[in-house]
């Protein structure tokens, strides 16, 4: 069975989003969502779920290098649990340590100018989280 997924790179001001499917194991970044203290516009997420019809939502979990959870990882878990509670779609968490660093490197190789206020990196990170998740399944 082909699995389709939306991935989220949780942040307090911006939440990266990517869509992908398991047949090819690839993902594509979507426009990031604005957030206020980690709270997105839930109607926008509802529309994303309606448009892309994912089987699962993959939420990046920003663990510390020693595997412990940070305040941000606790908030990412809360965000994931809210997604499941609001929309009833299965969720899973994916270790995203260093994904932002890797996303910046990848974006730079693809011509990103390095102005992350004009071109946020969050959806590149969500893209990498989702492709890592497909490889781990």
């Amino acid at each position: 069975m082909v699995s389709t997924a939306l991935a989220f790179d949780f942040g307090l001001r911006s939440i990266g989003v990517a869509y992908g499917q398991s047949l090819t194991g690839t993902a594509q970044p979507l426009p990031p969502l604005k957030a206020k203290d980690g709270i997105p516009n839930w109607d926008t997420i509802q529309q994303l779920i309606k448009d892309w019809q994912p089987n699962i939502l993959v939420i990046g979990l920003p663990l510390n290098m020693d595997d412990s959870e940070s305040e941000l990882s606790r908030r990412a878990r809360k965000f994931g649990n809210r997604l499941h509670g609001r929309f009833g779609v299965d969720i899973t968490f994916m270790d995203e340590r260093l994904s932002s660093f890797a996303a910046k490197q990848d974006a730079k190789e693809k011509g990103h100018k390095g102005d992350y206020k004009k071109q946020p990196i969050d959806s590149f990170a969500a893209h990498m989280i989702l492709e890592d998740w497909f490889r781990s399944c």
Side-chain angles (χ1 to χ4, degrees), residues 4-22:
T4 57
L6 280 175
F8 296 92
D9 179 43
F10 178 79
L12 299 178
R13 291 181 290 154
S14 180
I15 299 171
V17 184
Y19 171 80
Q21 48 86 17
S22 63

Side-chain angles (χ1 to χ4, degrees), residues 56-60 90-94 133:
I56 193 162
L57 305 177
V58 180
I59 298 89
D90 288 339
I91 63 163
T92 190
F93 294 94
M94 181 70 189
W133 182 75

Side-chain angles (χ1 to χ4, degrees), residues 62-76:
L63 298 171
N64 293 320
M65 294 309 286
D66 66 358
D67 290 337
S68 64
E69 290 207 11
S70 65
E71 177 60 28
L72 193 57
S73 61
R74 286 187 282 280
R75 292 184 75 169

